[in-house]
Amino acid sequence: MALTTEQDMLDLAEKYLGIFRDVCRQTTFKANDTVNDLCSHVSEDQSCYGTDDAMSAALTELLFFASESQQERYDSMIDNTMQTAALIKLMDKLKLGVYAFEDYGPEFVNILSLCYMNTFSYSEDDILYTLNMGRSTFYKKKKRAMILFGLSIRGYVASLHGRNVDYIVESEGVQMRFECTG
């Protein structure tokens, strides 16, 4: 078992959650704009078949009929979209790690999602109302959720290296154990 401090996990979680907040709030809109921009060049006959068909037609037109400057511009936009997709996939894996926590996992994921991992910036009152909890309870649970998110990051990194590590963190008298299998 590896002991880690509460503050280490909070710092780690805060760093990653800040990145994910930016990804969710800014680049998700940019990715949607890229898709809409690509599909806007498709003729109306082809766009009525559905999003997948419209995207295929747009990529075909881009590949065979667009100028080099248009292709370079869209290549850059598509690369950014793919990087965003990779970050969102990582975020989802880390949320699953928190979700798997025995007693409070789903509630902690809701807290993290409302605070950090969505496209809308909720006010504190909206979050408290949605979660149906008081302010002090919310801050205690948010802190624990962030600690578990930090542990989920550590577990993910350990699994990438094929290591099995169990982390233990104590927060306000509650001991949290997080099992990481590689």
Side-chain angles (χ1 to χ4, degrees):
M1 298 232 191
L3 291 174
T4 187
T5 68
E6 180 178 313
Q7 192 58 48
D8 287 344
M9 293 301 97
L10 285 170
D11 292 344
L12 183 62
E14 191 173 309
K15 185 183 307 182
Y16 274 80
L17 288 168
I19 292 168
F20 290 139
R21 179 178 34 229
D22 291 343
V23 166
C24 289
R25 294 192 181 154
Q26 295 169 4
T27 53
T28 301
F29 290 123
K30 288 179 186 175
N32 289 337
D33 289 344
T34 300
V35 170
N36 290 334
D37 192 29
L38 266 171
C39 291
S40 70
H41 297 294
V42 177
S43 66
E44 284 187 31
D45 311 354
Q46 295 170 325
S47 64
C48 66
Y49 293 119
T51 307
D52 290 340
D53 292 336
M55 180 58 91
S56 293
L59 291 173
T60 301
E61 283 186 27
L62 179 64
L63 184 62
F64 294 110
F65 305 112
S67 68
E68 270 188 53
S69 64
Q70 282 180 314
Q71 286 181 353
E72 287 174 11
R73 186 176 72 118
Y74 280 113
D75 282 347
S76 173
M77 292 169 74
I78 290 169
D79 284 345
N80 288 337
T81 301
M82 296 307 289
Q83 289 172 2
T84 300
L87 283 172
I88 290 172
K89 195 181 260 188
L90 173 61
M91 181 178 65
D92 288 342
K93 284 182 182 181
L94 296 173
K95 282 193 324 187
L96 279 173
V98 173
Y99 192 88
F101 186 66
E102 291 176 10
D103 297 325
Y104 299 104
E107 183 178 36
F108 287 170
V109 168
N110 285 340
I111 291 170
L112 293 172
S113 293
L114 286 170
C115 294
Y116 300 101
M117 297 182 238
N118 63 67
T119 56
F120 186 75
S121 179
Y122 291 100
S123 70
E124 183 179 288
D125 290 335
D126 290 337
I127 293 170
L128 295 175
Y129 178 78
T130 302
L131 296 171
N132 193 25
M133 68 177 63
R135 187 169 265 104
S136 63
T137 302
F138 166 70
Y139 280 108
K140 285 179 189 176
K141 289 186 176 189
K142 180 181 173 189
K143 182 179 180 180
R144 290 180 185 159
M146 289 178 70
I147 291 169
L148 276 177
F149 192 77
L151 288 170
S152 183
I153 294 167
R154 284 265 178 102
Y156 178 74
V157 170
S159 72
L160 288 177
H161 298 293
R163 293 183 290 185
N164 295 336
V165 181
D166 291 347
Y167 290 101
I168 295 178
V169 175
E170 190 167 320
S171 174
E172 299 171 12
V174 175
Q175 199 173 64
M176 293 182 271
R177 180 176 180 207
F178 197 83
E179 298 176 18
C180 310
T181 55

